[in-house]
Amino acid sequence: MRIRSLGVIDDAVVELSPGFTAVTGETGAGKTMVVTSLGLLLGGRADPALVRIGAASAVVEGRISVPPGATAAVRAEEAGAELDDGVLLVSRTISAEGRSRAHLGGRSVPVGLLAELADELVAVHGQTDQQGLLKPARQRGALDRYAGDAVAVPLAAYGEAYRRLRAVAAELDEITTRARERAQEADLLRFGLGEIEAVAPLPGEDVDLAAEAERLGHAEALASAAALAHGALAGNPEDPEAVDATTLVAGAGRALDAVRAHDPALASLADRMGEISILLADVAGELAGYADDLDADPRRLAVVEERRAALTQLTRKYGADVSAVLAWAQESAARLTELESDDDRIGELTAERDALRAELSLLAQALTDARTEAAARFADAVTAELASLAMPHARVSFDIRQTESVDEASGVEVGGRSVAYGPSGADEVELLLAPHPGAPPRPIAKGASGGELSRVMLAVEVVFAGVDPVPTYLFDEVDAGVGGKAAVEIGRRLAKLAKSAQVVVVTHLPQVAAFADRQLLVEKTDDGSVTRSGVTVLEGEDRVRELSRMLAGQEDSETARAHAEELLATARADG
């Protein structure tokens, strides 16, 4: 892993070997930046305050070995990343302005993808994780993770039923609490539909009636104009001397017909004159029919105006025109059917709610049974690990309990009782610790010291490693508050874990560092920065000097050197 311009680190390369690597150094030397860098590669939050003062950006680059066919490898390739002989190149850049970029296998990717891959590749634990372990919800999650499919399968079914029950209950509550509003809405819709049904409008009727009213209102003028036009075209029987258009056109046509044989152009005009004569005759005939059919009855006009007034009443309330009124009626009829079916819907939802609650009761009971069984195994395994961590008399157990529901209708039945429930079941899970014989089991948040909590968390992680292993474990001063024999046992246990996984530990304890396969020293230069040469692999005499410093604060103390050599000898003997 290469780190540039991050915190106190100017430019440094950290080589993490297989097995157990311990990262040591003076307080403030930058050891935590090693953990922070790895966190950034794993999708951690990018804080611009981490960028070294005076630098435009901080960059962390890493090479991660990924087993072929592993979920992380498949997911990376789906994102377009390229693996180089099983090695995945990852980089993260943070600008001083706060922008963050991530690259995976040569391809720019969302930071969230790095976090997704991290779950498969690395387990990170530090002081904040210890505090997280104090929360009952995290303890329940740890137990569920340990239980595996025995809990995961019913929990998935429970979660689906729980979400459906929430949706059904919300809809049922909406219908019942708004019953009065919905009844009022139904009454308004019935009134409107009744008004429309009483008038019974037809599509386009308002347009047709408007045209008819216009004709009836001007019937005399229309009849007079039609008669005058007819007379001008076809003649007036009462005035035989009058000249009409039909007679004139017929005469013109006869004159042209007489000479059409002498000129084709004139023949064409004679044909057109014939067409005019026919058209005049047709128009004259239609004018005569129009005058005969024209209804000038004032009673009909009154009927039309009354009908138009009725339609206007509807368009004022329900739409801009009759078509809009009919559309409103269609939509309102469908809505009224929905509102009137509330009673049926309430019955259906109530039945579904009761069935879901019964299903949740069975699934919650199954979760409780699976968690209880797994808790006994988990507690025994962690207790056995604590014995290897200088806590031979400590005993870990789980308290799995349920809270009585406020009333029967708001709970699910578990163990013959109506209990409160949530998205993860009805169980409240709490990890208890009895540190010595005779001590009552108490929640680890109250009954464990800092050193005991560190060892409990390490024991939990070791147990997890046996059932749900990841390739790499990173512990950031998880040994805080521990010393003496307990520190030696932690080092021994981490070395054992490193036989099946890569383990990286940031530590102040020489007892832990002595068990590492490789020890890295983080040192600042005189100007307060960590440069490329500031992260070194310690071997031989250099490692003894660093362990001596960690033991006594003096690299050249003969007593400290002897103790350091003894620690290394003990670690090699165990290995």
Side-chain angles (χ1 to χ4, degrees), residues 22-101:
V23 181
T24 64
E26 293 278 6
T27 300
K31 299 186 301 300
T32 300
M33 284 297 105
V34 175
V35 179
T36 301
S37 299
L38 188 54
L40 288 171
L41 289 183
L42 300 176
R45 189 177 69 88
D47 184 353
L50 294 172
V51 179
R52 184 169 172 78
I53 296 175
S57 62
V59 181
V60 182
E61 300 167 305
R63 292 167 52 86
I64 301 177
S65 296
V66 182
T71 303
V74 174
R75 184 68 187 90
E77 289 174 341
E78 288 176 351
E82 295 183 2
L83 274 75
D84 183 9
D85 197 19
V87 173
L88 194 59
L89 300 180
V90 188
S91 72
R92 185 82 181 275
T93 303
I94 310 167
S95 73
E97 291 79 22
R99 294 187 301 275
S100 171
R101 297 195 308 274

Side-chain angles (χ1 to χ4, degrees), residues 54 212 263 364:
E212 185 176 1
D263 187 353

